[in-house]
Amino acid sequence: FASAQFKETTIMGELRMDTATTHARVDFEKIECHENARWNNGLFNDKLVVRACHFFKFATWCNCLFKDHFALPSSRFDGEVALDGTVFEEKVFFQDTNMDSLCIRGTTFHKYWDCERLHIRGQMLCQGSTFEEPVSFSFMETEGHGRISFNAVFKAPVDFYRATLRGPVWFLGTQFQDVSFVNTTFDGQVFFSFDPNTLRERNRRR
């Protein structure tokens, strides 16, 4: 793509943009996608903004390289969102985003990740990933219908200000440099262990 804009568009079939390369900003605004959406193995040289969209099934951005901003503001995902193996070289914005579940495994965030008011209905698996810059989970909310796990390396401050995390939450093997739980609500069991040996032993026994 040199540039592209999709606005107030309905996609009844599957959206496939695997191995796409973009050279200018791409915008999706107020679109409905009724089947799976795939952007795997893509190279995004400019911004990708998915604003106020509704995805009825899963959406994946796996094994991608983002060289500019990635944003999903005010979008709704009724299926899983997967970002496995992706590298984000610039800021990532998930403000006011509503997801069924979120999987971030083996992913690298080189810049700030803003998840203010992110809403998760099911599981959130943040595993084996690295966050080089600050992360905000302020006002984030989970409904408690799945596991919430933060087995990741956070090299900069992480803020859970006024977050509400329902159901069990795991911080097993998590590496924090600076974490804040001011006015955070945990409505369920919380498991803390910052020893990586604990996580390896637990996984061995499963």
Side-chain angles (χ1 to χ4, degrees):
F1 291 109
S3 64
Q5 183 178 33
F6 300 83
K7 187 173 182 179
E8 297 180 353
T9 301
T10 299
I11 302 171
M12 299 303 298
E14 189 173 50
L15 175 62
R16 295 292 297 266
M17 300 185 72
D18 291 337
T19 69
T21 298
T22 68
H23 299 284
R25 176 169 173 150
V26 176
D27 286 273
F28 292 83
E29 185 174 355
K30 296 182 180 179
I31 73 163
E32 288 189 355
C33 182
H34 288 256
E35 294 294 333
N36 300 325
R38 306 172 191 265
W39 283 271
N40 301 322
N41 302 297
L43 172 59
F44 299 89
N45 289 293
D46 208 317
K47 297 178 178 65
L48 174 61
V49 179
V50 181
R51 183 186 305 276
C53 296
H54 187 181
F55 294 84
F56 288 79
K57 295 189 177 180
F58 71 70
T60 61
W61 286 272
C62 295
N63 300 308
C64 294
L65 174 59
F66 285 85
K67 301 182 79 65
D68 210 324
H69 296 176
F70 175 50
L72 304 176
S74 302
S75 289
R76 179 182 176 91
F77 298 85
D78 292 342
E80 178 180 278
V81 175
L83 306 174
D84 298 345
T86 289
V87 175
F88 296 98
E89 294 187 351
E90 287 295 337
K91 297 177 181 178
V92 179
F93 301 93
F94 284 7
Q95 306 105 318
D96 296 300
T97 305
N98 191 304
M99 298 179 179
D100 178 73
S101 59
L102 176 62
C103 289
I104 301 174
R105 292 169 290 204
T107 303
T108 302
F109 292 76
H110 287 290
K111 298 293 184 180
Y112 179 66
W113 185 28
D114 187 348
C115 291
E116 286 196 10
R117 298 178 300 279
L118 173 65
H119 190 104
I120 301 287
R121 298 185 296 281
Q123 71 176 2
M124 178 177 178
L125 302 179
C126 185
Q127 299 180 329
S129 296
T130 301
F131 299 84
E132 304 277 353
E133 295 291 332
V135 178
S136 174
F137 295 113
S138 297
F139 300 97
M140 173 184 168
E141 184 175 357
T142 67
E143 293 186 7
H145 301 304
R147 176 178 174 179
I148 309 300
S149 175
F150 294 94
N151 169 29
V153 177
F154 296 91
K155 297 184 177 181
V158 182
D159 190 1
F160 285 89
Y161 177 72
R162 288 193 178 277
T164 300
L165 303 178
R166 300 180 179 90
V169 182
W170 276 265
F171 294 96
L172 297 181
T174 309
Q175 297 182 40
F176 285 123
Q177 295 295 320
D178 180 2
V179 61
S180 174
F181 295 103
V182 176
N183 292 321
T184 305
T185 300
F186 291 99
D187 187 4
Q189 291 181 302
V190 185
F191 302 90
F192 283 98
S193 175
F194 304 117
D195 179 3
N197 294 322
T198 301
L199 185 65
R200 285 197 293 268
E201 178 67 14
R202 177 180 178 276
N203 289 337
R204 187 184 67 81
R205 293 178 178 179
R206 292 181 62 179

